[in-house]
Amino acid sequence: MKSIFTEGKEQGIPEILAAKDKRVLMHQAIFKKYPKNVIIDVKMNIPGPIKNNHYLERLFNKGIDELEVEFEQAQLEIKKVATWDEDSGSEVFYVSARDADRIKKIAVKFEDESKLGRLFDADVLIKDQAMALSRKDYGLPSRHCFLCNRPAKECARSRRHSVTELQGYISKIYWEEIR
């Protein structure tokens, strides 16, 4: 099976931090324009220095389509306000005047139950709240590792799996779901 990580511009810590700063500015700009809404910020969790390429864009777009179907089926009024396709990764920003709790539960369902959803991080943000809503806020279990089903943060902190192993898992999903 061919790796989907052989192409793309490598991202180091400076580029990742710059993307994070840019994201914070985007959140501020969106809240300025939509002060009474919640933001849904959707991106992928991609290990290693390659964060975006045409393969990852296809995975991202298919996952976004699946998530939007979930929102539609839940009859949520979600408005897409920005899309990024950067070397640091693809990202979509939505707003909604609806219940943040319900949106978070739908996002978690997508992350946990969709094969592609496990690659995604859908943050739900409320204005003037320091952090995105967390699974813990709702008594929901933490995210599980792609490979071993342990808590993902535990595996990431201990570097239990190599970047190559994690990228192999993502490549496998690509070839199964996209091709």
Side-chain angles (χ1 to χ4, degrees):
M1 172 184 49
K2 180 184 174 200
S3 172
I4 66 169
F5 292 91
T6 58
E7 301 170 23
K9 185 176 177 188
E10 290 191 9
Q11 300 293 288
I13 290 174
E15 291 86 3
I16 299 304
L17 292 175
K20 190 174 185 177
D21 291 343
K22 183 178 173 185
R23 181 177 305 113
V24 168
L25 292 173
M26 176 60 86
H27 292 164
Q28 291 170 351
I30 293 170
F31 276 133
K32 187 173 183 176
K33 188 171 181 178
Y34 302 95
K36 295 182 190 229
N37 289 9
V38 298
I39 296 173
I40 305 99
D41 178 358
V42 186
K43 54 198 165 298
M44 289 176 58
N45 294 314
I46 304 297
I50 301 297
K51 304 293 185 190
N52 202 2
N53 59 33
H54 66 97
Y55 299 111
L56 293 167
E57 284 176 36
R58 290 181 72 193
L59 277 172
F60 182 79
N61 291 332
K62 184 167 186 195
I64 288 297
D65 290 345
E66 287 181 17
L67 180 59
E68 288 177 353
V69 166
E70 294 285 332
F71 288 147
E72 192 176 302
Q73 289 174 346
Q75 298 178 342
L76 289 171
E77 294 173 24
I78 304 289
K79 178 181 179 181
K80 187 183 293 185
V81 294
T83 303
W84 288 353
D85 181 25
E86 306 282 337
D87 290 332
S88 58
S90 296
E91 197 160 349
V92 175
F93 300 86
Y94 302 91
V95 293
S96 178
R98 296 287 184 160
D99 182 16
D101 296 335
R102 195 160 156 239
I103 293 168
K104 182 62 180 179
K105 288 176 184 169
I106 291 165
V108 167
K109 179 179 181 251
F110 166 72
E111 291 172 351
D112 287 348
E113 295 179 12
S114 166
K115 193 168 191 177
L116 291 178
R118 297 202 57 205
L119 305 177
F120 281 77
D121 187 15
D123 290 332
V124 179
L125 300 105
I126 299 172
K127 187 174 178 161
D128 299 326
Q129 190 167 328
M131 305 221 5
L133 297 178
S134 75
R135 291 166 174 253
K136 197 170 160 184
D137 295 334
Y138 299 96
L140 298 169
S142 61
R143 293 182 71 114
H144 289 97
C145 173
F146 297 150
L147 301 176
C148 72
N149 222 24
R150 287 185 176 107
K153 285 185 181 177
E154 179 185 305
C155 288
R157 263 190 236 115
S158 69
R159 298 184 190 255
R160 180 170 278 123
H161 312 289
S162 70
V163 169
T164 303
E165 288 175 296
L166 294 165
Q167 289 177 342
Y169 172 82
I170 295 169
S171 293
K172 182 176 183 270
I173 288 177
Y174 177 86
W175 296 113
E176 289 173 356
E177 298 295 314
I178 303 297
R179 205 113 198 249

